[in-house]
Amino acid sequence: MTKKGTLKKTALPGDVRAADEDAAWPIQDIVDHSLIEKQLTCKRPSSAELKRVIDRALQKTPLTIEQTAVLLAADQPAQVEAICAAASQLKDAVYGKRIVLFAPLYVGNLCINDCAYCAFKRSNDRIKRKSLDADQLSAEVRALEAQGHKRLILVFGEHPKYGPEVIADTVRRVYAVKEGHGAIRRVNINAAPLSVEGFRQVHQAGIGTYQVFQETYHRPTYGRYHPAHTQKGDYEGRLRALDRAQLAGVDDVGIGALFGLYDWRYEVLALVSHALHLQRRFGVGPHTISFPRLRPALGVMLDSKYAVDHATFMRLIAILRLAVPYAGLILTAREEPQIRKEAMRLGVSQIDGGTRIDLGGYAGHRDEQPCAAAEQFSLGDNRSLSEVMQQLLSDGYLPSFCTACYRQGRTGEHFMEFAVPGFIKRYCTPNALFTLREYLDDYGSSEERTAGQQLIEEQLEALPNSVRQKTEQALGRVEQGERDVRW
Ligand code: SAM
Ligand code: SF4
């Protein structure tokens, strides 16, 4: 570091190439501030105009910024209702009843940045700093496997201690922890943006998705929340992060914005713009979109000027569902159970369950209160995975721990389930059923087993005959104790 605490940025060979290639893709191709501002002045649409955009989305066609702006300007109650109904319909058509489950695993909260909203910011002396050592990491993974999890997202603060080789090594260690029938089959990452070389190293460890949230796409607001002399103060460097990931071969990336920092409508248009850019440049859009809302956090003073209320939050989820139909929408345990339930109806396709964000929290006792001094923010949903599963099953959802596509070499799977006719019935539903059967047999309570068995029968009933027979046979193998059956 330099005297002022500024990090010296050294360009690696891969990044020089990236910079050359980026020149052909100016930053405005990712987010064009003037275009977004102009679209935000768009008048409320007529019913016919709104219907045209909704119909386009229902054909599973990604929307342009202009078309998304029409949805944003449609603010009459009947218009909002029409948008929500269409989002729900589109969600059913693309994802069916499946909800993918995962858990976050916080690996280290050391941080050199000073993001005003985050408890991990370096100026916060009320937070207990900790990085999991190898034994603690294994204990956490074992505890997560014992709940039934198969898919994790590793979360890191930004610190030289968490360089790409450490992230890659952590990923390998997580995959290596196997106890009984427990195994983590897909490891995703939420960490600081890396150089092209860094992304390549992490990619080689076999990661699933790499997420980087822009927090706010509005540059002046970004500057207010992220001091310029910190690493994260580099707005453009962060905005181009997932381009660097793609150049390094990570073709599975997740974008996101932290809602509550600036005008939600601006962030929605910018997220759509970012997704369109990735699609144009790399032929593959983001695998997932996240839209966390600001939560209270230890040692953090929040400004409520841009806070997103409940009704607006549902509206923004429905609009994102319609605008980027192929992307998985993630809603974490920051939100309360009732909100998560409503959001799943409107478009959310992935949630976490049994979440702990205090470092080392999974291996501690489940009934222990989370330790606020080690948490990034406070959670809205503190239910166990089993409680989340019971609710999903009783609401008629098909909880899925499936990780098949990525492991069968079908990357860009979100495009398959979205674009290949019959893909969901041939692959997603059977794979979801195999993983649900495993969960019920290895970890389920008697209530979960009863509800799960009924759901499995209903789902089998709805499959075409040829697929149903093969699925029943494979389910029989799972019941006999075979694990990791996948197509
Ligand atoms: N340190 C890395 C970074 O900043 O990209 C990755 C991990 S950070 C722990 C994960 C995300 O948590 C951030 O990108 C931010 O959107 C979110 N976050 C931070 N503070 C929050 C708060 N008070 N409420 C809700 N989400 C928050
Ligand atoms: Fe550090 Fe990330 Fe928190 Fe910012 S959001 S202070 S970079 S952990």
Side-chain angles (χ1 to χ4, degrees), residues 290-439:
S290 301
F291 33 89
R293 278 195 295 184
L294 264 182
R295 297 283 306 168
L298 187 77
V300 167
M301 289 285 287
L302 296 180
D303 176 353
S304 60
K305 180 168 176 202
Y306 292 109
V308 176
D309 63 33
H310 177 103
T312 308
F313 194 47
M314 293 304 142
R315 216 175 128 199
L316 86 80
I317 294 171
I319 293 173
L320 280 174
R321 177 65 300 145
L322 291 175
V324 198
Y326 58 78
L329 296 186
I330 300 182
L331 191 65
T332 67
R334 287 174 179 86
E335 301 293 342
E336 280 142 30
Q338 190 51 36
I339 292 178
R340 304 229 283 173
K341 181 170 165 162
E342 213 175 311
M344 283 187 272
R345 188 175 57 78
L346 293 175
V348 163
S349 53
Q350 295 194 21
I351 63 167
D352 49 346
T355 300
R356 296 289 294 238
I357 58 172
D358 47 334
L359 275 101
Y362 292 112
H365 292 293
R366 198 49 254 175
D367 47 354
E368 260 176 27
Q369 282 303 306
C371 168
E375 279 187 346
Q376 192 194 10
F377 43 77
S378 67
L379 289 181
D381 186 349
N382 286 299
R383 291 174 301 168
S384 67
L385 178 61
S386 170
E387 287 167 314
V388 171
M389 289 291 286
Q390 276 177 48
Q391 162 116 59
L392 288 173
L393 291 168
S394 71
D395 291 342
Y397 285 110
L398 170 55
S400 175
F401 295 91
C402 176
T403 55
C405 275
Y406 146 79
R407 293 162 70 231
Q408 300 291 95
R410 294 190 295 261
T411 54
E413 85 234 43
H414 46 309
F415 285 109
M416 291 185 210
E417 56 189 68
F418 163 74
V420 179
F423 190 86
I424 294 183
K425 290 208 157 85
R426 270 187 293 139
Y427 291 98
C428 307
T429 307
N431 283 326
L433 291 173
F434 305 150
T435 58
L436 175 59
R437 181 77 267 164
E438 281 185 350
Y439 172 85

Side-chain angles (χ1 to χ4, degrees), residues 58-315:
L58 287 176
Q59 285 158 21
K60 307 184 192 168
T61 315
L63 299 182
T64 61
I65 294 173
E66 291 78 1
Q67 289 159 344
T68 311
V70 169
L71 299 182
L72 288 169
D75 59 356
Q76 292 295 85
Q79 295 183 316
V80 173
E81 224 171 273
I83 290 171
C84 291
S88 209
Q89 187 183 335
L90 185 66
K91 193 214 166 185
D92 265 1
V94 176
Y95 293 91
K97 283 288 178 197
R98 274 173 313 127
I99 294 288
V100 170
L101 285 150
F102 68 95
L105 172 53
Y106 277 68
V107 181
N109 65 10
L110 271 58
C111 197
I112 51 169
N113 291 321
D114 214 12
C115 313
Y117 46 79
C118 178
F120 293 171
K121 61 184 173 180
R122 72 181 191 205
S123 59
N124 191 2
D125 51 17
R126 295 175 65 191
I127 200 92
K128 240 169 58 192
R129 303 283 166 182
K130 185 170 171 176
S131 307
L132 300 181
D133 64 25
D135 290 342
Q136 290 163 336
L137 181 79
S138 303
E140 288 290 274
V141 178
R142 274 198 302 276
L144 282 156
E145 289 179 357
Q147 287 184 37
H149 277 295
K150 300 285 183 258
R151 185 188 275 250
L152 301 185
I153 180 153
L154 306 184
V155 185
F156 295 83
E158 179 159 5
H159 195 273
K161 258 187 115 169
Y162 316 135
E165 58 299 327
V166 171
I167 297 179
D169 185 51
T170 309
V171 172
R172 291 193 187 95
R173 282 175 194 275
V174 169
Y175 281 132
V177 177
K178 291 191 167 58
E179 204 164 75
H181 282 152
I184 298 304
R185 299 174 181 158
R186 179 176 173 124
V187 178
N188 299 332
I189 304 288
N190 184 323
L194 303 175
S195 64
V196 176
E197 291 306 320
F199 277 121
R200 197 167 284 133
Q201 266 175 284
V202 173
H203 180 49
Q204 280 161 2
I207 59 160
T209 312
Y210 201 105
Q211 287 183 348
V212 175
F213 303 159
Q214 187 62 25
E215 319 297 10
T216 172
Y217 285 88
H218 187 250
R219 196 191 279 254
T221 305
Y222 190 93
R224 277 200 289 284
Y225 281 98
H226 308 100
H229 61 273
T230 60
Q231 185 78 16
K232 196 157 164 178
D234 178 3
Y235 172 91
E236 287 196 14
R238 192 164 178 96
L239 197 53
R240 288 195 189 278
L242 296 175
D243 287 48
R244 293 198 298 281
Q246 289 278 359
L247 291 169
V250 180
D251 64 356
D252 194 327
V253 298
I255 62 175
L258 182 54
F259 282 84
L261 298 180
Y262 187 59
D263 182 350
W264 67 276
R265 299 170 315 140
Y266 189 100
E267 310 293 9
V268 167
L269 285 188
L271 283 167
V272 170
S273 171
H274 196 172
L276 289 168
H277 162 78
L278 292 169
Q279 171 79 52
R280 259 192 310 274
R281 182 168 180 188
F282 301 102
V284 48
H287 187 170
T288 56
I289 302 183
S290 301
F291 33 89
R293 278 195 295 184
L294 264 182
R295 297 283 306 168
L298 187 77
V300 167
M301 289 285 287
L302 296 180
D303 176 353
S304 60
K305 180 168 176 202
Y306 292 109
V308 176
D309 63 33
H310 177 103
T312 308
F313 194 47
M314 293 304 142
R315 216 175 128 199

